Amino acid sequence: MKLELHRLKVRRLAWGSRTAFDKGLLSIDRSALTDLLAKDGRFRSVTLDLALPGESVRIIPVKDVIEPRCKLDGPGEVFPGFIGDVETVGEGATLVLEGAAVVTCGAIVGFQEGIIDMSGPGADYTPFSKTCNLVVTFEPVDGLEKHEYEAACRMAGFRAARYLADSVRDVAAETIDTVQWPPLSEAMTAHPGLPKVAYLYMLQSQGLLHDTYLYGVDVKRILPTLVSPTEVMDGAVVSGNCVSACDKNSTYAHQNNPVIAALLARHGREINFVGCIVTNENVTLADKKRSSAAAVKLARMLGVEGLVISEEGFGNPDADLIMNCRRAEAAGIRTVLITDEFAGSDGASQSLADAAPEATAVVSVGNANARVVLPPMERVIGFPREANVIAGGFDGSMRDDGSIEVELQAITGATNELGFSRLSAVTV
Amino acid sequence: MKLELHRLKVRRLAWGSRTAFDKGLLSIDRSALTDLLAKDGRFRSVTLDLALPGESVRIIPVKDVIEPRCKLDGPGEVFPGFIGDVETVGEGATLVLEGAAVVTCGAIVGFQEGIIDMSGPGADYTPFSKTCNLVVTFEPVDGLEKHEYEAACRMAGFRAARYLADSVRDVAAETIDTVQWPPLSEAMTAHPGLPKVAYLYMLQSQGLLHDTYLYGVDVKRILPTLVSPTEVMDGAVVSGNCVSACDKNSTYAHQNNPVIAALLARHGREINFVGCIVTNENVTLADKKRSSAAAVKLARMLGVEGLVISEEGFGNPDADLIMNCRRAEAAGIRTVLITDEFAGSDGASQSLADAAPEATAVVSVGNANARVVLPPMERVIGFPREANVIAGGFDGSMRDDGSIEVELQAITGATNELGFSRLSAVTV
Amino acid sequence: MTYRVVHYINQFFAGIGGEEQAGQKPLLKEGIVGPGQALAAEFGDKATIVATVVCGDGYFAENMDEATETIIGLIASCKADAVIAGPAFNAGRYGTACGAVCTAVKDRLAIPALTAMYPENPGVDLFRKETIIVETADSARGLRKAVPPMASILLKLLEGRELGLPAEEGYLPQGLRKNLFRAEPGAERAASMLVKKLRGEPFETEYPMPVFDRVPPAPALKDLKGARIALVTSGGIVPKGNPDHIEASSASRYGEYDISGVSDLTSADYATAHGGYDPTYADGDADRVLPVDVLREMEREGIFAKLHDLFYTTVGNGTPVAMAARFGREIAVKLREAAVDAVILTST
Amino acid sequence: MTYRVVHYINQFFAGIGGEEQAGQKPLLKEGIVGPGQALAAEFGDKATIVATVVCGDGYFAENMDEATETIIGLIASCKADAVIAGPAFNAGRYGTACGAVCTAVKDRLAIPALTAMYPENPGVDLFRKETIIVETADSARGLRKAVPPMASILLKLLEGRELGLPAEEGYLPQGLRKNLFRAEPGAERAASMLVKKLRGEPFETEYPMPVFDRVPPAPALKDLKGARIALVTSGGIVPKGNPDHIEASSASRYGEYDISGVSDLTSADYATAHGGYDPTYADGDADRVLPVDVLREMEREGIFAKLHDLFYTTVGNGTPVAMAARFGREIAVKLREAAVDAVILTST
């Protein structure tokens, strides 16, 4: 599979009479896009806002973040299973509006959405203070059931992201990155002498709004299988997850999966990166064991020596992470795990809900219990009072002066377990 | 993965005071096994019978056929997800009671079970006239819902099959077949010059009792993935399917998948057999397209030049078969399809519900509409009146003298689309 | 015993003349004429050509029904045990006449009949399903080669022996699928076929793909308000007890049932006869497959004028396409006669 | 300004004597004694050792509470801004005394305190979480090296400056997890770590695995009939409105609620405060998480004697293990006092 990522670097957003791109400025036709999204009869209101890096703006409660992309060439369309059809993606050419993001905002579960500050101390913790954000805030029609509300917001986010890219598809790319992903028949004979490595990609699938989709299929229903990096870049994996904002993988993080990027960067030099194994994180022990056994079986089938394993979420999924580690190490496959920590606000507690001596190589993306005070912002997009009930917030989080004291848990992407950020933790 | 199949050749069955094997005779402790199966409170009655090749015996209605196997060594147990745990199987040693079969018999859907004749013209059409059969007939407790009845019969069949093998696990094998299945890292570099070939293994998953299970997971819920031949031999794939008897794949047929055997037989000489791709046969067009795209993607990932594609069932799944063929051929992968035909009792009709010019290489396992008269048998196990409503039967199928005129459709395994039998069809 | 065979030939092979004599009406000649000589030699004492019926190709083509009627009468008068026609080689009208005569003989006199043609003779496509056609060369130079299989097949038919495969016996395939046991199991054949296909070696598919009919949809109704709508299903919904005994699969019939006054299909009165799906939900509420309830509501609301009093139902489970096509034709005629404007087809 | 520091040392370093003088009671000496010289030199003019408290290691070990009380009194009398204790090197009782004194000073006087020890000194494990312990060699030969970090850290604490990492500053890790930004994103670090691990090169995990407590289950009840059973949940079920404001995650508290007379948790009165799962079903019927309804039935049927009037609830979502352990201890005491025989713990 060969995929070209045609990149346009977005440096500013503005409303315009039509959606267009010119020298870093993405103009957005506000009414056209509002109309497009409002066609979904499940919304009472659809509101568009802009939030740019450095502005005194807070977005709360954030559901998902999506990078605007569309297919320029090749089979299928981005977000297969949701937009377009269910074709295998990852070939041809895809337009990427780098630096832009669609942020969906809605109080679906109330305490399972997050905060993005565009400036101030909170901005240090979220990757999405550095993107030019189109924020879409949804209110549901009366009586809309939460799962329907989530589905509506999810679809609307994809539609908006695809709309932005598709609207400027005729603009010539500024840079083109090419990813050439060979079949295993070639990959297995390439780069002799370098260790074969795969990526074990754990997707949140505990259900009841903790859901991730692969080609539109709720992954709690699958057995582990193989995907190529270029499929992931085209949105084969998307988030439908409503859980603590710090370490749920936004669709943006999937589209720009940094583990894939890091392994590709070392491919052919230090390692031979041969595949991505997607697996799920289910709730019953039998499901955990089955998926773990099957995922490690695929790793053995690939004949890899090493695995990077990324988690999504915390607590219950720690058991999946550790089980995957133990099984892989028992099969002679060396592992590195990426996880965040819940060590208490003082850092004195154990960080994970499960542990194993085999887990000798762990990357920590930070203690999500650590607290931060977010000062008042000039502008708040969304529903600020949710801070009191948001996971990572507490009663009194929202202060009279508009400042908020919360755990990092409440900040979107703060401890992203794909290893998106530089945050970590150490023992002191 | 290395699997040893330890074989004992069963030539006779008899009731005995304990379950034991001696010189081809498998003695069965009838009451111990009855007690084991009757523990499931969903049965009103559990009846055991013996049916041997050449006897004047008819079994009707047949739900499933299972070969007695158990693990002697290695992880897991046969029928993972049902017996034992959910571990990956296919390694170590497995005991096979070759020549024996457990036949489960129950009028679950009435017209979706089959007929096995142990002698006479019907015997020519079913593979299970050549096996020494332990027939287990179940009656459900009053009011038991059909899906529960199916699940109970399914489990009971696996329990009985595992019980028989496990009871004689200490008997030394007469022959040992060893299957060595290398990881892809080795397979891809082995046998240079031979074309790489995979097996696309379509599993019935239309739902409403048209179900197949992989490690206990209903495959309608999966995306296509890879399994190794040795996993299939250990019962990773089992039938929960109630549909026309001729071309539903019994668990026995999965355990002894003849496509896998044929490809293994040519492996290293004529082809390089590198993998099995399991996929499903779902009812909606989007599901069909998604699974077909993903299955062919896996074939492309494997970098194979050729695929054998086997179907299960007829009509609606013909669309999946043809779609898989077209997509693979479009990707430059040569295909051979295995299907049966429904060409009318006179053979004058079109045989499939879908067709494509790309399907240039088709193996026909026979026209299931062809009629046969089954003469009366001295002994009938089960519920003979079901012949009037069985699929492939018709009102009046059951004649006063005990003979039955039916289509081959009603005969268990008559047109097995794994290519188990020698039956075929030609144009005259 | 010696079988009595009547031979049918055209005016040219009867020595009457060429195209200028093509208007020749049917006539009966005692004994053997023209190519009958070779056939008679091949039959030896097992069969005798007792008479030869001759007809001009032009006359037959222009007066097909009348000519057939006359010819059948002439053959019947000979107390024939069988009829042999041609060979017609590549002569189109002659081939058509031979095929038509053989078909009529089989249907009307219920005795064996066969003919022989060049595969591209238009008579082949018209009659290969109805009658055995022995393969010949494209001209009379191929007579000598055509005669042995013609004689041998006719004798087998007369003696009630089963025919071998077309290629073995020398006749053109009739397009009927027939079961047989091959030497190897299907999986072995599949693996071998794949090896050949990959090597670029010749291989023979066991099922050449048919070309499917594509029926263009009728134009949409402009106005529903005045429309009479009928329900037709292949989902097997029948009055409980399945009064017409529609088969669970490979249906040989369809049912026509009155639903005037019925506004809901209850489990007390309706069920499915279909053997291809789990009947739990259809039996529980047959409206799930045949939505009478919803259509009655729409009828009451005036969305359309009337739900047709009769619905048509069969089982689309392993039912041959040829059978389904016949059901479709018959049902369409009835619906048109009942002035139905549109049909909702439901499946399973 | 110059900070006022009190130095704590044992009888040996005070020059009073060895083991034979270990029974020495606490005493205050004005100014600098023994190792205080080196510390004072390092402080320069930023801090002054105003007094030295001396206590025999044996006396402290045998009279810990009394000795601590006395020492705190002595220190308080000096109007100290901070306390420095030791270094204790590898002397076990001395190390324990230093740790205990520093901890008491922090807790009771709310001023900075630190000590210094060899990592294997038993005082380290006892007090590393409570107080800063500078790493030293195992004997007094390491004094010169220990003094600069002791002085530097104490001054940072006095000045309210943030401490660097243990390895940078020279103190033993306290076992607290602290966030920081590293040079590379996590995914890059993971890939690099894997490369090192595969090459057999040294690498450092960012989270050394903890060893988990395993609690052996209590013996099963012999007889349920007379048992009083309580419900405890981490599923966050609370009276509607969440009167104690239990946090949606990282709970800092648990609730105790009376369910005497309640036989069913209705959506009118109960809901979940848990932020880690979709609350639709728990809010719809809280018995799904806290099965009061079923237990009331069993109580009525006499399967057990009584459902305890109080239930305990918290939110097990990102809640630190240390916090959960405290909740558990407190709840267990209350349940034992209430003569509860068994507890049903429900999760989510």
Side-chain angles (χ1 to χ4, degrees), chain A residues 127-168:
Chain A
F128 306 112
S129 59
K130 292 98 192 167
T131 47
C132 298
N133 299 328
L134 171 71
V135 186
V136 195
T137 307
F138 303 101
E139 286 183 300
V141 294
D142 285 346
L144 187 70
E145 194 266 337
K146 279 183 202 303
H147 303 87
E148 274 296 301
Y149 184 22
E150 188 282 323
C153 291
R154 174 158 33 95
M155 272 306 296
F158 304 150
R159 283 199 188 105
R162 199 251 174 189
Y163 163 85
L164 292 179
D166 190 51
S167 300
V168 303

Side-chain angles (χ1 to χ4, degrees), chain D residues 22-268:
Chain D
Q24 171 68 52
K25 289 191 179 180
L27 59 90
L28 184 74
K29 296 198 171 194
E30 291 292 314
I32 299 164
V33 177
Q37 301 287 0
L39 285 166
E42 192 72 24
F43 286 143
D45 56 3
K46 291 185 181 150
T48 306
I49 295 179
V50 293
T52 303
V53 172
V54 180
C55 181
D57 289 336
Y59 179 81
F60 193 96
E62 283 155 32
N63 307 279
M64 201 178 266
D65 289 349
E66 199 185 319
T68 303
E69 198 65 31
T70 307
I71 290 164
I72 290 290
L74 295 173
I75 292 169
S77 71
C78 302
K79 298 191 175 14
D81 294 316
V83 170
I84 199 158
F89 304 108
N90 201 19
R93 289 180 307 177
Y94 186 22
T96 304
C98 287
V101 166
C102 288
T103 303
V105 165
K106 264 179 64 188
D107 289 352
R108 307 267 297 274
L109 305 180
I111 57 174
L114 68 73
T115 179
M117 304 178 206
Y118 180 63
E120 290 177 21
N121 188 313
V124 170
D125 274 354
L126 284 170
F127 293 103
R128 69 190 307 163
K129 288 199 177 177
E130 307 354 291
T131 189
I132 299 272
I133 303 173
V134 170
E135 181 173 356
T136 72
D138 62 349
S139 76
R141 283 191 303 275
L143 178 64
R144 211 175 29 167
K145 217 175 142 200
V147 162
M150 288 177 78
S152 137
I153 293 173
L154 194 71
L155 288 172
K156 279 194 178 174
L157 294 175
L158 279 163
E159 289 160 11
R161 285 185 286 149
E162 201 173 355
L163 287 191
L165 297 181
E168 295 162 17
E169 299 277 1
Y171 62 92
L172 293 167
Q174 294 188 273
L176 300 176
R177 298 294 289 171
K178 188 181 154 152
N179 282 343
L180 82 175
F181 287 95
R182 297 189 194 260
E184 297 285 332
E188 284 292 325
R189 306 195 310 267
S192 296
M193 200 184 286
L194 184 62
V195 169
K196 286 184 184 149
K197 192 170 176 178
L198 290 171
R199 287 181 179 163
E201 292 171 5
F203 63 90
E204 196 174 350
T205 183
E206 294 176 5
Y207 180 65
M209 283 287 125
V211 178
F212 271 47
D213 280 355
R214 300 277 165 200
V215 180
L221 293 184
K222 293 224 164 52
D223 178 25
L224 269 182
K225 292 260 179 254
R228 174 186 292 254
I229 293 179
L231 278 170
V232 177
T233 187
S234 60
I237 300 304
V238 290
K240 207 152 178 183
N242 191 7
D244 292 309
H245 306 289
I246 299 173
E247 294 88 344
S249 81
S250 310
S252 68
R253 61 200 83 157
Y254 60 90
E256 176 190 79
Y257 303 107
D258 194 325
I259 46 167
S260 51
V262 177
S263 61
D264 185 18
L265 305 185
T266 65
S267 61

Side-chain angles (χ1 to χ4, degrees), chain B residues 87-218:
Chain B
E87 283 305 316
T88 296
V89 292
E91 288 179 278
T94 300
L95 177 62
V96 181
L97 297 191
E98 192 181 321
V102 171
V103 174
T104 55
C105 189
I108 298 169
V109 188
F111 38 58
Q112 295 179 342
E113 281 83 43
I115 302 172
I116 294 174
D117 277 3
M118 299 306 291
S119 60
D124 294 343
Y125 290 101
T126 176
F128 306 112
S129 61
K130 292 97 191 166
T131 48
C132 298
N133 298 328
L134 171 71
V135 185
V136 195
T137 308
F138 303 101
E139 286 183 299
V141 294
D142 286 346
L144 187 71
E145 193 266 338
K146 278 182 201 304
H147 303 88
E148 273 296 301
Y149 184 22
E150 189 281 324
C153 291
R154 175 159 33 96
M155 272 306 297
F158 303 150
R159 283 198 187 106
R162 199 252 173 186
Y163 164 85
L164 292 179
D166 189 51
S167 301
V168 303
R169 62 184 299 126
D170 295 332
V171 182
E174 295 164 349
T175 55
I176 298 179
D177 294 339
T178 301
V179 182
Q180 180 81 48
W181 189 248
L184 291 165
S185 48
E186 288 175 27
M188 289 301 176
T189 57
H191 312 298
L194 293 184
K196 293 183 181 66
V197 164
Y199 170 32
L200 180 47
Y201 194 173
M202 293 173 56
L203 304 176
Q204 175 59 257
S205 64
Q206 294 180 291
L208 300 177
L209 294 173
H210 294 31
D211 306 311
T212 306
Y213 297 86
L214 177 63
Y215 283 96
V217 171
D218 185 339

